[in-house]
């Protein structure tokens, strides 16, 4: 199984569990919740592999270095 399909399967499985746990309640702000839940570990892993080099991490993520700094700040990772 490719890494992308593995990640997609994990996300799908966890979303199904989330809906199950809601027990009939309607979800709210799912997109924002999911982005927050995924973004922090993404930043942690990329920053670790980039050995703290924000320019390199930003390049790998395909985002501007200032955007990376804002995201790191938002997640209290600076």
């Amino acid at each position: 199984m490719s890494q992308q399909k593995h990640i997609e399967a994990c996300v799908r499985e966890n979303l199904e569990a989330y809906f199950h746990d809601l027990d009939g309640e309607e979800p709210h702000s799912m997109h924002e919740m999911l982005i927050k839940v995924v973004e922090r570990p993404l930043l942690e892993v990329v920053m670790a592999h980039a050995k703290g080099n924000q320019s390199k991490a930003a390049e790998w993520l395909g985002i501007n270095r200032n955007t990376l700094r804002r995201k790191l700040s938002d997640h209290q990772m600076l």
Side-chain angles (χ1 to χ4, degrees):
M1 178 182 290
S2 76
Q3 187 67 18
Q4 181 177 349
K5 291 205 183 277
H6 175 72
I7 292 171
E8 287 177 11
C10 289
V11 170
R12 184 171 286 106
E13 180 181 315
N14 281 279
L15 284 170
E16 290 295 344
Y18 173 75
F19 272 98
H20 179 266
D21 292 346
L22 285 175
D23 197 31
E25 293 291 320
E26 289 193 15
H28 298 282
S29 303
M30 286 185 64
H31 184 265
E32 181 181 351
M33 175 198 66
L34 186 59
I35 295 303
K36 284 182 180 179
V37 168
V38 171
E39 192 170 59
R40 183 178 181 88
L42 171 64
L43 294 172
E44 289 171 344
V45 170
V46 169
M47 288 301 295
H49 282 271
K51 296 181 175 56
N53 184 321
Q54 293 178 10
S55 295
K56 185 181 287 190
E59 183 179 331
W60 291 354
L61 290 166
I63 61 176
N64 181 285
R65 185 175 174 275
N66 290 332
T67 301
L68 174 61
R69 287 189 56 76
R70 182 182 49 78
K71 290 179 179 297
L72 293 171
S73 179
D74 289 350
H75 289 283
Q76 301 174 346
M77 294 174 61
L78 286 178

